Amino acid sequence: MKNTLLIVTLLSFIFIACEKDDNKPNLPVISTIEITDMTYQDVTLNWNVTLDNEGEILENGICWGDNSNPTIDNNKIKASEKTGEQILKIEDLDNNEEIFVRAYSTTKYETTYSDEISFTLWLGAPGEPITDIDGNVYKTVKIGNQVWMQENLKVKHYNNGDEIPLVTLDEDQKWIDAKSGMYCQYEDKDKYGDYYGLLYNKYIVTDERKVAPKGYRISSGGDWGILSRYLGWDLFESYLLMTPTLVTGTNIPEDYLPPKQLYNFGGLTGGWRIYDLYDDNIPRPTRYLELGSQAIWWHASGKRGTGITNYNILRPWENDNQYRPWGFDDALPVGLSIRCIKDSE
C-alpha cells in the first residue's frame, strides 16, 4: 500500500511539473547584435527583441566584459524599450583590448542572452604630442602596439642643427644631381608644406644626422607591414586616409564599417615630386603630381615607400594586397613624405 501511494505521489508531481512547463510563456527572442558606429572609446549597438506578451519583459540591455560570455553580473547598461529595435551606446571603453558583448532580456522566469560578438577599439587612441628641432609640434596616435606621428614631417633642420636645403622646381638640375638631403614643398608653396608636410629626397632618410623627433624614427617597411596586418589588408587604405571616402564595389563585406571616425592616422594625400624618363629615355622635367589623390611615405631604407590612393572611390576588398611597397630606381630623384614612428620602449 505504501509503495502504491509513493508511485501515485510521484506521478502527480511529474504531471504538475509538466503542466507548469506547458503553461510557461515563450521567452524573448533576441536578434544578432550589429555595430553601427565606433570610435576609439565608444561603440553604438543595434538589435531587436520580440515577445508576444511585452509585459512579461522586466528589462533589456547590453552586458559586456573582458572574457567570453558576459552576463548581467558583469558590466551592463539598460535599454529604454521592451520590444522592437534596441539602440545603445557604450562609452569610455578600454582601447586596444578585446571586448565581449551580449544583449539580454530579463523576464520573471529567467534572463535570455543573444549570441556573443567581440570587437577591439583599436584605432585612434591619442598619444602624447612630440616636438621636432624646429619647434613643430605633432599629434600622435596609438594603433595596436605602435605609436605613430599623426602628421607628416615638416622639419627643415637635422637634429644637430644643420640646415636642410630647400630646392624649388626652378632649381631642377640641383634636385636631380643631389647627393645629399634636400626638401621641397608641393608646387613650391608654403600653404601646402604647412598642411601636408614637406617632401624629402632619399638622402634625408639615411643621413646619420637624423630628422625624426627625439624618441622617434623614420618608419620602416616592417613597421608598415605590422600596421597593415593589424588594421586588416582589406581596409588598410580606408583607415589610413584622413577623410572618409565613398566606398563602392562588388563583394562588400557584410561587416564593413565606413571609416567615419576611425581615420585618426591622418593620412593626407599630399602628392609627390617626381623625375622620370620617357620611353625613349628623354628626361621629363621634375614636377609635382597627385595632390589629393596619392600619398607615398619613405621607408627608412630610402629605396621604397608605402603608398595609398584616393581616387574618390576606394574598393579595398577588390585587391588582395593593400600594403603597397613602392620601389624606385636609385637614379630617379623623387620627393616623398615622411611619417615617423615611436621607438620601441
Side-chain angles (χ1 to χ4, degrees):
M1 182 65 181
K2 287 184 179 180
N3 289 338
T4 302
L5 182 60
L6 178 60
I7 292 171
V8 171
T9 302
L10 288 173
L11 289 174
S12 299
F13 176 79
I14 293 171
F15 176 77
I16 292 171
C18 291
E19 184 176 28
K20 286 184 178 179
D21 286 342
D22 290 340
N23 293 332
K24 183 178 179 180
N26 294 328
L27 296 175
V29 176
I30 307 174
S31 70
T32 301
I33 303 170
E34 295 182 357
I35 298 173
T36 58
D37 197 10
M38 300 174 74
T39 72
Y40 69 90
Q41 287 183 311
D42 309 328
V43 62
T44 302
L45 306 169
N46 180 287
W47 74 101
N48 277 275
V49 177
T50 57
L51 183 64
D52 292 339
N53 187 358
E54 178 181 322
E56 295 285 349
I57 296 178
L58 303 177
E59 180 179 300
N60 289 322
I62 287 286
C63 57
W64 71 94
D66 298 333
N67 298 312
S68 184
N69 295 320
T71 70
I72 55 176
D73 293 328
N74 300 114
N75 305 294
K76 73 171 185 176
I77 185 171
K78 299 178 183 179
S80 58
E81 302 296 328
K82 292 295 184 67
T83 58
E85 184 180 27
Q86 315 286 309
I87 301 174
L88 277 179
K89 182 177 182 179
I90 310 176
E91 300 178 320
D92 299 324
L93 291 168
D94 291 334
N95 192 262
N96 297 317
E97 294 182 7
E98 187 172 16
I99 298 168
F100 299 87
V101 173
R102 292 198 294 179
Y104 71 89
S105 186
T106 300
T107 68
K108 65 180 181 180
Y109 296 99
E110 61 183 87
T111 295
T112 304
Y113 293 95
S114 71
D115 291 336
E116 177 184 82
I117 66 167
S118 67
F119 55 85
T120 304
L121 300 176
W122 36 255
L123 184 57
E128 294 295 324
I130 189 71
T131 304
D132 67 24
I133 191 172
D134 289 338
N136 298 305
V137 180
Y138 304 91
K139 297 177 182 177
T140 66
V141 59
K142 183 178 181 182
I143 304 176
N145 292 321
Q146 296 176 315
V147 178
W148 292 79
M149 278 173 39
Q150 204 173 0
E151 307 168 64
N152 294 339
L153 196 66
K154 302 176 183 178
V155 73
K156 299 178 181 179
H157 292 82
Y158 293 101
N159 286 348
N160 69 349
D162 290 348
E163 185 176 1
I164 303 168
L166 167 64
V167 181
T168 66
L169 285 183
D170 292 337
E171 303 169 286
D172 195 12
Q173 198 61 45
K174 185 176 179 181
W175 180 270
I176 293 169
D177 295 338
K179 299 298 180 184
S180 60
M182 296 178 176
Y183 79 89
C184 58
Q185 302 179 109
Y186 197 92
E187 292 187 355
D188 300 329
K189 295 180 180 179
D190 290 342
K191 67 176 183 179
Y192 293 128
D194 292 341
Y195 184 64
Y196 290 98
L198 304 180
L199 301 173
Y200 299 90
N201 70 4
K202 64 180 180 180
Y203 297 103
I204 288 283
V205 179
T206 55
D207 196 293
E208 293 181 356
R209 291 171 287 182
K210 302 186 183 300
V211 291
K214 185 177 181 180
Y216 280 67
R217 56 182 170 78
I218 295 174
S219 51
S220 68
D223 295 325
W224 287 98
I226 292 170
L227 178 64
S228 62
R229 288 191 295 273
Y230 192 77
L231 301 185
W233 301 103
D234 55 345
L235 297 179
F236 181 53
E237 287 189 316
S238 294
Y239 287 142
L240 261 58
L241 288 170
M242 184 158 180
T243 55
T245 303
L246 175 64
V247 186
T248 63
T250 58
N251 302 319
I252 300 175
E254 292 182 1
D255 60 352
Y256 171 71
L257 288 175
K260 292 185 179 179
Q261 299 176 57
L262 296 176
Y263 49 81
N264 288 338
F265 182 83
L268 291 170
T269 47
W272 49 320
R273 181 171 178 165
I274 179 67
Y275 166 89
D276 57 9
L277 302 173
Y278 289 110
D279 292 339
D280 54 6
N281 288 329
I282 298 174
R284 303 184 188 188
T286 303
R287 61 203 188 281
Y288 297 107
L289 292 174
E290 306 294 353
L291 183 74
S293 297
Q294 292 187 13
I296 310 177
W297 294 280
W298 277 117
H299 289 181
S301 66
K303 295 182 178 180
R304 290 183 176 272
T306 289
I308 60 172
T309 62
N310 175 10
Y311 291 112
N312 298 319
I313 296 177
L314 285 178
R315 299 178 176 86
W317 38 83
E318 295 178 357
N319 194 332
D320 290 337
N321 185 1
Q322 289 300 313
Y323 165 53
R324 300 183 183 179
W326 297 60
F328 304 103
D329 187 318
D330 286 345
L332 301 182
V334 295
L336 308 179
S337 302
I338 289 178
R339 187 61 67 96
C340 299
I341 187 171
K342 189 175 183 180
D343 282 325
S344 300
E345 297 178 351

